[in-house]
Amino acid sequence: MAVRRSLLSLSTAVLTSALLLAPALSAEATAPTACKGSACTGKNPQREGCGTGAKVIDRVRPAGGGPEVQLRNSARCSAAWARIEKANSSWRFKIQIRGGASYTVNASPSYAAYTQMVGSSNAYRACVEIYDGRGGSWSCTGWH
């Protein structure tokens, strides 16, 4: 009987330790994404759950200086988008699909802004408009 109690106590201690030491995953990290690949094109990366674990894969600053635009990619969603930190709302940036759509957004002085997503099976790049009063001139990352 004493041996059985000892084994039960030991088993309980091992199980409790394993549970306490196991890495906790956030609900966001384990939640399924709402879209994948081309199904993400035109959608909001935050609302779709694609921001978790996304990586900056390239960056661009406008010729002559200005805010940096990040090209971000989510392996989890197989999608990409462009993001800019807080900046004067006159700054425009975009993510562009080679031979296809582009999603252009103005920066915000209050918060980081981002474009809609594109499926990462497309060739895409991020661009920022050169703020020289004339408009239409863009600095871009390479194609990815």
Side-chain angles (χ1 to χ4, degrees):
M1 187 70 150
V3 172
R4 186 180 294 180
R5 261 189 248 149
S6 293
L7 286 175
L8 183 58
S9 295
L10 179 61
S11 297
T12 303
V14 169
L15 181 59
T16 303
S17 296
L19 291 173
L20 291 174
L21 295 175
L25 295 176
S26 71
E28 188 175 317
T30 58
T33 58
C35 67
K36 188 89 166 164
S38 62
C40 293
T41 299
K43 294 185 178 178
N44 179 313
Q46 303 309 318
R47 198 172 305 130
E48 299 299 318
C50 298
T52 302
K55 295 186 173 153
V56 176
I57 61 169
D58 208 343
R59 304 166 194 277
V60 63
R61 284 193 186 274
E68 177 184 271
V69 172
Q70 300 172 338
L71 180 59
R72 300 176 68 83
N73 181 282
S74 168
R76 186 171 181 229
C77 293
S78 298
W81 63 94
R83 181 181 185 275
I84 194 170
E85 290 295 326
K86 294 178 189 178
N88 179 309
S89 60
S90 295
W91 287 103
R92 293 190 323 152
F93 67 106
K94 65 184 175 181
I95 188 160
Q96 181 179 26
I97 300 172
R98 186 181 295 191
S102 104
Y103 298 101
T104 304
V105 178
N106 283 66
S108 169
S110 304
Y111 52 85
Y114 48 88
T115 65
Q116 293 94 337
M117 295 184 287
V118 300
S120 58
S121 63
N122 299 295
Y124 56 88
R125 67 181 182 178
C127 302
V128 60
E129 189 173 30
I130 298 168
Y131 188 59
D132 60 6
R134 294 177 296 200
S137 185
W138 297 82
S139 292
C140 300
T141 65
W143 291 100
H144 292 267

